[in-house]
Structure formats: C-alpha cells, structure tokens
Amino acid sequence: MYKPENCKYTKTHEWAFAEGGVAVAGITDFAQHEISDIVFVELPKIGAKTEQNKRCAVIESVKAASDFNAPVSGEVAAANDALAANPALANQSPHGDGWFCKIKMSNPGELDNLMDYAAYQEFIKQPAQH
Amino acid sequence: MPELLTRTELNPCKAEPQKLSIEKSAAGRRGLRLPASGRPAGEHLPAEQLRKTAPKLPELSEFDVVRHYTNLSRLNFSLDTHFYPLGSCTMKYNPKINEELCALPGFAAAHPAAPDSAAQGTLEAMHNLEKLLCEICGLSAFTLQPSAGAHGEWCGILLARAYHAKRGDAARTEIVVADSSHGTNPASAALGGFNVITVKSGPDGRVDVAELKKHIGPRTALVMLTIPGTVGLFETEICKISAAAHAVGALLYMDGANFNALIGLAKPGDFGVDIMHLNMHKTFSTPHGGGGPGAGAVGVTKALEPFLPAPRVALENGVYRTKSDYPDSIGRLRAFFGNTGVLLRAYCWLRQHSPETLRLVAENAILNANYAMAGLKDLFPAQYGGWCMHECVLSTDPATTGGVRTLDVAKRLLDYGFHAPTVYFPLIVHEALMIEPTETESRESIDLFVAAMRAIHAEALENPELLKKAPHTRPVKRLDEVGAARQPDIRW
Amino acid sequence: MYTPHTDKDREEMLKAIGVSSFEELLRQIPQELRKSKFNLPPALTEPELAAHAAELAAKNSRLLNFAGGGAYEHYIPAAVRALVSRGEFVTAYTPYQAEASQGTLQAIYEYQSTVCALFEMDASNASLYDGATALAEAVNAALRITGKTKVVLPQALNPQYKRTLQTYFAPNRAVSFAEVSCKTGVLDAAALETAAQDAACVVLANPNYFGCLEDADEVSRIAKAAGALLVAVVNPASLGAVRAPGSYNADIAVAEGQPLGLALGYGGPYLGMFACKKEHLRHIPGRICGITKDLDGKRAFVLTLQAREQHIRREKAASNICSNEALCALTATVYCALLGPAGMRELAELNLEAAHSAADKIAALKGFKIKFGKPYFNEFVVECPGDAAQLRDALLQDGILAGIPLGDMDSSLKNCLLVCATETKTPACLDALAAALRKHANA
C-alpha cells in the first residue's frame, strides 16, 4: 500500500509516492470511481521517458478511454505487469496492487508542483471535478 | 399499457438464442456440392504450397445452414419488423424494388476491370446519379468512390489538403470541428494528418459564430460542421459561418449525415459549403445491412473539382468513360469504382422522386420529429428550446425518475417492441436520447412509440428496479460488457 | 413517395405540435436559403423505374469472363442469396442495442471465427471496406506497432492497392515505400533482404498480382530477420488447399472477401477481411464482437473493445471507420458454412484445375506462352504475340473478356494478359477462349 496520506497528487487524478529518487504512480480512488470498470490499461515500456503532466499510459473502460499522465518527469523503471493482466486491480486497490508504474525521477523538485493529500481532498470536493 | 405490451408483433413465437454454427457441426456432413474435379491440389502445386490442416469450419447440410441463419435473423430488431428511431442514422424504409433492380444480372455480373464499352449501363447510372446529386446539393461535381460516411469525410479532408497545397499554402495544419460532431470527424481529420481543434457549442446547441472566429485563422484548412447538427438544429447563422471561414482562407466541410432534413428544401452550395459528403445508407434509403455496406458520395464546388479521386465517369460523344488523367487528383480511395450496388439503389430511389416529393421527404421527417418531441418533452426534457429538424434530442433526468437513466429507458423500450433511440450522443447533452422517426413512419407508429415512452416514465416512478434490469422479454437479458472487454472471446 | 401521411394526418400532427402551419417549423432555416429550384428528370413510378433499370442493365455486355485481378467470378449458391436478403439482416442497423441484435452479433462472431479459421490467425474484426483499404489499415497498424516508417511492397502487388496506399499515406510525409522486383513472377529474395532493413512491414501478396504463389516461408524469414512485421494479402478462395498466412507466421493478414459469395457488381460492395496475431488486438481497426453473459448467466454476444474506436477515442482512434461491410461479412460467413472444410478444399481444387487447364490450352497456341514458371492458383500471366489490350478488345466482339492487359501497370508487360479461370469455367468455356485467342491473334 502506498498510503494516500503519503502521496502527492496531480489535477488529473494520478498519485505519486516518492522514495529514494523513484516515484511509484497510480490513479486515485476518486478517478477509479469516475472511470468505473477498467477493462484495459496500456502501460509504458521500461526505459520510456516521461514528462510531468504528459500522457504516459492509457486507461480504458467499456465506454471511454482516458489518459494517464505522468505525475513526474523521468524514466520508467518498472511497469505493473499484474495490472496489465488484471486491469480490475486499479478499481479494487488503486493505491496498492493497482499501481501503474515506477518512474526514476529526473527532477525530484517537480514533486512540489503536486498537491498533498489534504489539498487533493479539497480539490475533488469542488463541483467542477464531478 | 397492458395493451402496448401485448401487441402481437412483440412475440409472434418467441425467438430463442441459437448455438453457434460450429456447435451444430457433424463430421462428414455436407452442404453445397460443386462438380468434382477429382484431382487433388497436389497435382498442380508443390507440397510446400499446400495447406496441412483443414480450416475449422462447420460441417452442415444446406438445410441446417438455412435454418440456422433464418433463426439468427429472428433475434434481430430491424426496420422491416420494428420502429427504429435511431437518431442520426436515418432508419427509413428501404424500398424492395431497389434490392431487386441492383441485383439484375446485367449489373451484378459486371466485372470492375471490364472495359468501359462493356459497362455502359452501370456507368450511365453512375453518371446520372452524380448529376442528380449535384443538382440537389447545388454543387459542381461528385465522386462516388467513398465506401461510407467516414471514408467520405476522409476524402474531403484530403481534398482540402490538396487544394491548399496547390495554392502553395503549407501553413494550414488545423481542422476545426464542433464538440457535438460525430467521432468520425476528428478521427478522419487526424488520419488526414491535421491537428483537431474543437469548438464549444453555444447555449442554443448551435455553433457560436464569435467563438468559432476565435479558433480559425491562417492555420485553418477546414471547418467541419454537421448540418443540421447532431442536436437536430439547423445552423441558422450558416452564411455567417461560411463567410467567416472563407474570410480566413479556410474551406467549409458539411457532414451530410443529417441531409434528410434538407433534401428538396435547400441546397448546401447556397450556404457556402465547399465540400460535403452524403450517406447513401441514410438519406437515400439504401439498407444498413446490420452495419454496412454504405456509400459516402462527396460533392465539391468548381474550385475543388480537379482534386477529386480518380477514376471519374465522363460522358464523351455519347459514350461513358472512366477517366484517370487528372493530374491534381488525390488518387484512389479503394480498389475499384465504389460500392456500386449501394449507389444503384440510391439512384433508383432518387429517380422515383420529383422536386415536390423530395421536399415531402424533408418536410415529413421534420414533422415526425417535432410530433414525437411534442408528445414527450414534458416527461423527457428537450435540451434546447424551439422546434427541431429531422431529429429531437431529449434527455432523462435521473433525479426525477428514481435514478432511472437513459440506458434503462432504452433497454425497457426493447420490451415494448421498439428499437431504442441513439443514446448518450451527442456527448454534450447529459443523458441524451436522440430520436429520429424519419419520414416513412406513420403517425400511428409514432403515437405507439410516444405511448410506450410515457408508460416507461410511469414505470420509472413506480418501479425503477424493473427498468434497471430491463429488457426482460428479449432472447437475452442485459449483458456484461465489462466482462466481454476484460476477457475477450472473439472467435471459436 | 414513401411518405405515408394524408393531408388529415399532417393537419392533426401540426395541431398536436402546436403550430398553425408547417412553415413555422422551418423558421430556423433562413428564408433566402429556401428558394432553390430543383431541376430533376420526371419522377418514375415503380414499373417505369423497373423498365429504366432493366434498360440500363442491358447496356452492360454479358461476357464470358476471364478477368480476375482482385475480383473473381464464382458460383453464388442460392441459399446464400436467400439468407442474406432477409429483411431482419438487411434492414437492421449496427448492433448498438445488443439485446435486440443478437442475430447480427452472433453472425459477426461466426464471421470473425471463419476468418481466423481460414487464415490460421488469432483475431479478426467485423470487416473493412475492401481488400485495398484493409491493406492500408494493416500497414497503418504495422507503422504504429513498430514505430518505423518504411513499408516494403512487392512489384506484383495489385496496382489499385498500391494507389490506395499512396492516397492513404500521402498526408504522412515520413512514410516511405520501397518496391521489390518480381521479375521472375515472385519476389527477388536478395532485393527483399536489402529493402526489409529498418522496415515496419513487408507486404506479401500471395498469390500476387501475377497470380503466382510466393515462397512465403522465405519471405517471412527475411522480414522477421530484419525486425519487420509480415503483412500477408491473400485470396480466401484459395485457402481450402493453399497454405494460410498463419502457417508462415504472418503478423497481419488481409484479403478481399468478394470471392466468398459476393457478386462482382462492378467493384462493390465487397469485403475487407482483416486478421492478426493476438498481441496486436488493440491495434485492430473497426468493430469487434465478443462473447459475454447476460444477467442470468446465459451466453450472449456484444460489441467489445470499443475504446479503440472513433466514437470514443475521436482523434486518437485506431481508425476512422464506422460503417463497415456487415452484410457482405454475413454473406462470406454463410458461404463458408455452406461449403464447409471439404467444400472449401474442393473449391480451391476446382479453381486450380480450371486455371491449369486453361493455361495448358493457351500455351498450346502458336505465339502464346505462360510468362512465369511459378506455382499459381486461379490466374496466370499469358504473353501474347501482340498488344494484349488490342487482343482483349478484339475478343469482346465474340462476347469474351479474355483477361486484364498489364501494359498500364508496366509498359514492359504490354503484351501480357492476366487470365483467370475459376470453377465457373467448364472445359467448353476454356475451348471457346482458346479458339477466340487463336482466331484474333492471327487476324
């Protein structure tokens, strides 16, 4: 589990859990509710470059396709094969087994651009997010 | 309501799901027999060219096959059996005579590589069809090559690209579409190598001219609009829109998917449309065939004509010729002439119409849509005020219907023996129900549909669970689409 | 014409709507745009239309046909026509409401299964427009899958397919085509080896436009060694006897499905068949039907994997295709069910027999020879004693379409005629062709 309280958040509902220069990334519980049943995720390849707030993966439900934006810039160090095989993990455990990828950060300072847990909780209460 | 649900056409004798053809297979059983050659393939081909294992196809008698597919057909709703008010799809009656005529051996047996002299009848029909379409649309030339609406859009996009390139204007890299557009518009634009710019619709569901002007300029190649729009409204300011597009050097493309509202009433050429496509399988009565084939003729103004795909049909000294020597042509869009069989049906339909009866097509399409709207809008609110064109966009408000959504209404309609309207499109309307009766439906069938919708609304208030689990009377109940997508099983 | 309303209906409907005249409903169309005059020929009643159409149809020559080149005359069983003209199939729309469209959906599933079985591939879509556009979609998928930009084409690819590819990829300047010579009738392996370097895909036409069957294993080996995908274009009527693309490790296989029960009809509607390996599932263009369960756990069919498609993904979709060729796909499915595995084998054998017999008869004529000594299915190139187009035209007088002259494709093939003989050609038909060729070649 990457405890939600210890994560940082994008405005597009991705979380990042940073530890030792590597950020684990996934989607928030709010996002998985909005998307509803996830049927497919296209994960980035190991070694792919990411850029903060730019698409690095795709999430499909039955009726929609959504972009997954990288919460930080860097290089993909790992992708969650278990999620690729069973996309429902992102619904069942968005902060645990449903993580998307691990990114070796090129600029850890970017984490400051993200919201903390409290700010994100406020953010999703705004009506525009619904 | 009980009367509505006991109509005899609902369940003449209940159709049941069928096994797959392969599950009915019996080893060694034969259907069609061909005259025996007696010589195995190995006498003509070396061993390394030969197939090792037979394909896994069903082994059935001819009667097995006939019964299997006849029974499958009975699981379908279709125009011939049911009211089918699918918005933007123009499900009008498909005249039987057209099916018969396009199958005449003279047409059906014509090889596409036959020299022009051997295909004069088909070429004459195609040439006549082009001329009729030009007259109806007020445009200068048509190509009949595109296989469907999306193929036509993409053709139009290539035409715009070729037109700007010929003028040496390489800066036009953008195509502007409305947020209410069909998904094929942005998809075709992207395929044509353009960046897609989306303009938000105004509060009345139409393109806001001031907003549009903010998005167009020297980078705009094409403005793509569906007219009437997908919310069933005419772009009243169309002349200002075309003037604004032309003022910045852009072209105006009309997606003619909804042309049924305008046929015989108004000519797109008069609005300043430069390029448009028509769906033969919508306005021109050719059948949809469960998803195709269609045909998507594309019309253009004089200035765009040199860029049309080749070959084109020309009449020279009383002889029809396919000509390919057009140096500025965008080229070929498919292997052969076009979906000729579909085009022949459309030609037959057009030849049965006079200016007066064409106008009646549009008028009655508009009348029927407004009549359906008038019968429903107190329960299913119309998103935009005023009268509609050939289709109306209503909505379900789950807050007032016990949490019942448009999807539930749609599924319950199937129990009442009506195909559902188009749902959740256009994307800009919440819980959209897009209803297009078309001109060929009688007042009685619309009355029944309205009565069913009203009965469903009453059911929503009394017993929302009934709707959320609908349909109850079809061969299958509501389906698990998530399971289908997570564990794809797409072949035997 | 087909509008049912009486004057009384219209009047009462307008009243129910709450307007006093129809004109009120039209106000959103500016008055000045509604003044157009329409100059149309007099409307025809149904009997008049039937006569007009019959007259036009009679202006097409009925010929003894030996032209192939991507469209083939085959016998169409009566049961095929009867089943695919049922109104429940013909007048249904795309199966968006699955519970009311199980017939169409199951037929699509059976079609996909039939394609996979014939091709020995893993996954098929619900159909594309025709063989040429199916190849364009296959090449597009290969470009996206590999991220490379070079496409290798055989010289002996159907020239219409080549032109279609050129049109499709004209907007993308990065894409380049390399053409490999087929001077001997089949791909030049050494030239292919060079061309395949850095390619996204190698297109293998098998049989190719000259009718020749390629050394598919060798072409596949060269493509794979270069890291390119193998895209096969095949003739489905051959696959009862000829090797399927899966057996030579094709990544994507496409075909013109017209031979499977569809009329020639001057070029359409036809059927674009598209299949691929399962790892490329998400790159398949267009609709796909899958099996699922209903609320009671009963097996059912539904459109699936839709997030690839234009109505959801808009400008990021795998393809812009919406309407496809569903009824043509149904036709092919019914055709293959009627023939079954044994019928498909016999069909292929009969075509081989007819074509080889025709070739023997033509080769025996003075001045004619079979151009390439390679294995072929149901068509082959004949080198004539003179201009092939002139000869073709001369035979029209005898009611024979002798084939397709190849001079337009390549001026060095000016004397060459592409001749096709399917199972529809009896020994008497072949004799008539040979006699006419002899007569006009000597004239």
Side-chain angles (χ1 to χ4, degrees), chain C residues 6 13 39 60 66 79 145 171 181 192 202 239 287 414 417:
Chain C
T6 62
M13 289 169 80
N39 179 19
N60 284 350
F66 294 92
I145 291 165
S181 159
L192 178 64
V202 170
L239 296 178
R287 295 180 187 127
K414 203 163 80 61
L417 191 66

Side-chain angles (χ1 to χ4, degrees), chain C residues 256-405:
Chain C
E256 172 53 69
Q258 177 273 333
L260 304 177
L262 291 160
L264 285 168
Y266 201 68
Y270 286 179
L271 168 65
M273 303 168 89
F274 183 106
C276 64
K277 291 184 172 175
K278 59 176 175 293
E279 58 258 44
H280 306 312
L281 191 60
R282 299 275 157 179
H283 294 280
I284 296 180
R287 295 180 187 127
I288 299 174
C289 170
I291 282 187
T292 189
K293 289 188 164 60
D294 77 354
L295 280 176
D296 293 342
K298 209 191 280 183
R299 180 173 73 184
F301 301 85
V302 69
L303 292 179
T304 193
L305 305 174
Q306 294 191 71
R308 301 162 293 111
E309 292 186 68
Q310 48 77 26
H311 62 282
I312 290 176
R313 214 168 251 189
R314 296 174 75 85
E315 65 268 30
K316 290 179 194 150
S319 164
N320 70 335
I321 191 167
C322 182
S323 280
N324 54 28
E325 309 286 299
L327 199 66
C328 304
L330 175 70
T331 308
T333 311
V334 174
Y335 181 89
C336 290
L338 270 174
L339 268 70
M344 290 301 289
R345 191 193 66 241
E346 286 172 5
L347 173 75
E349 286 169 358
L350 284 166
N351 276 262
L352 283 163
E353 178 69 21
H356 286 77
S357 171
D360 289 346
K361 286 178 200 279
I362 294 170
L365 301 174
K366 191 164 163 276
F368 289 86
K369 69 184 255 275
I370 307 305
K371 173 95 175 156
F372 304 112
K374 302 290 175 188
Y376 57 95
F377 174 55
N378 67 0
E379 58 190 329
F380 51 90
V381 176
V382 175
E383 199 164 339
C384 308
D387 184 288
Q390 283 173 15
L391 188 61
R392 186 260 329 248
D393 288 346
L395 265 78
L396 289 175
Q397 299 157 22
D398 294 346
I400 295 176
L401 180 55
I404 301 175

Side-chain angles (χ1 to χ4, degrees), chain B residues 383-406:
Chain B
Q383 184 77 11
Y384 305 104
W387 310 122
C388 62
M389 295 290 284
H390 65 297
E391 64 193 6
C392 61
V393 180
L394 306 181
S395 58
T396 311
D397 180 2
T400 65
T401 53
V404 163
R405 303 179 58 208
T406 281

Side-chain angles (χ1 to χ4, degrees), chain B residues 53-102:
Chain B
T53 48
K56 189 183 170 190
L57 295 173
E59 296 178 77
L60 299 167
S61 71
E62 177 171 326
F63 193 16
D64 292 335
V65 172
V66 168
R67 196 167 273 170
H68 176 67
Y69 289 101
T70 302
N71 281 323
L72 277 192
S73 79
R74 283 153 46 92
L75 303 178
N76 272 359
F77 278 19
S78 70
L79 265 179
D80 280 2
T81 51
H82 295 80
F83 182 54
Y84 217 120
L86 207 53
S88 249
C89 299
T90 315
M91 294 296 279
K92 63 168 70 176
Y93 171 60
N94 310 138
K96 299 299 170 193
I97 183 68
N98 301 345
E99 300 301 307
E100 196 172 302
L101 297 180
C102 78

Side-chain angles (χ1 to χ4, degrees), chain B residues 23 51 69 76-77 108 110 122 124 135 181 288-290 332 340 347 352 364 368 411 443 477 480 491, chain C residues 2 5 10 12 39 52 59-60 90 92-93 99-100 104 109-110 118 167 241 265-266 292 294 299 314:
Chain B
E23 293 165 342
R51 183 171 186 131
Y69 289 101
N76 272 359
F77 278 19
T122 298
E124 182 176 341
E135 174 63 19
S181 68
H288 291 68
R332 208 177 243 287
T340 319
Y347 173 65
Q352 284 192 278
N364 286 336
N368 282 354
K411 296 300 183 197
R443 180 185 171 190
K477 293 191 172 170
D480 176 10
R491 57 167 297 195
Chain C
Y2 296 106
H5 298 333
R10 276 174 67 106
E12 289 177 5
N39 179 19
H52 172 62
K59 290 184 186 174
N60 284 350
V90 174
Y93 200 74
E99 298 88 344
T104 293
Y109 182 89
E110 292 184 1
L118 281 176
T167 311
Y266 201 68
T292 189
D294 77 354
R299 180 173 73 184
R314 296 174 75 85

Side-chain angles (χ1 to χ4, degrees), chain B residues 320-492:
Chain B
Y320 296 91
R321 296 194 186 285
T322 50
K323 293 183 64 176
S324 292
D325 50 339
Y326 300 98
D328 292 328
S329 166
I330 58 169
R332 208 177 243 287
L333 303 175
R334 48 175 286 145
F336 299 110
F337 181 84
N339 276 350
T340 319
V342 177
L343 296 161
L344 279 169
R345 289 174 176 88
Y347 173 65
C348 289
W349 183 83
L350 262 178
R351 286 304 308 269
Q352 284 192 278
H353 285 84
S354 63
E356 294 71 33
T357 58
L358 273 189
R359 188 184 173 93
L360 273 182
V361 168
E363 285 195 3
N364 286 336
I366 294 168
L367 181 68
N368 282 354
N370 280 288
Y371 184 67
M373 180 165 76
L376 291 172
K377 67 179 177 189
D378 57 326
L379 301 182
F380 299 92
Q383 184 77 11
Y384 305 104
W387 310 122
C388 62
M389 295 290 284
H390 65 297
E391 64 193 6
C392 61
V393 180
L394 306 181
S395 58
T396 311
D397 180 2
T400 65
T401 53
V404 163
R405 303 179 58 208
T406 281
L407 182 70
D408 308 317
V409 173
K411 296 300 183 197
R412 184 60 176 155
L413 266 172
L414 306 179
D415 283 333
Y416 280 84
F418 295 98
H419 196 278
T422 294
V423 293
Y424 299 99
F425 184 83
L427 305 175
I428 59 169
V429 176
H430 197 57
E431 295 288 325
L433 273 161
M434 184 198 242
I435 301 167
E436 181 182 12
T438 81
E439 77 281 3
T440 57
E441 288 299 336
S442 67
R443 180 185 171 190
E444 289 80 359
S445 59
I446 302 171
D447 283 341
L448 265 182
F449 172 75
V450 167
M453 287 286 285
R454 299 190 72 88
I456 289 167
H457 192 272
E459 285 177 345
L461 303 182
E462 283 160 25
N463 185 3
E465 285 312 304
L466 177 75
L467 273 63
K468 288 176 189 169
K469 292 217 169 83
H472 301 278
T473 60
R474 293 300 101 214
V476 295
K477 293 191 172 170
R478 208 177 284 198
L479 304 181
D480 176 10
E481 295 188 37
V482 173
R486 280 186 179 161
Q487 299 294 332
D489 172 354
I490 60 172
R491 57 167 297 195
W492 62 54

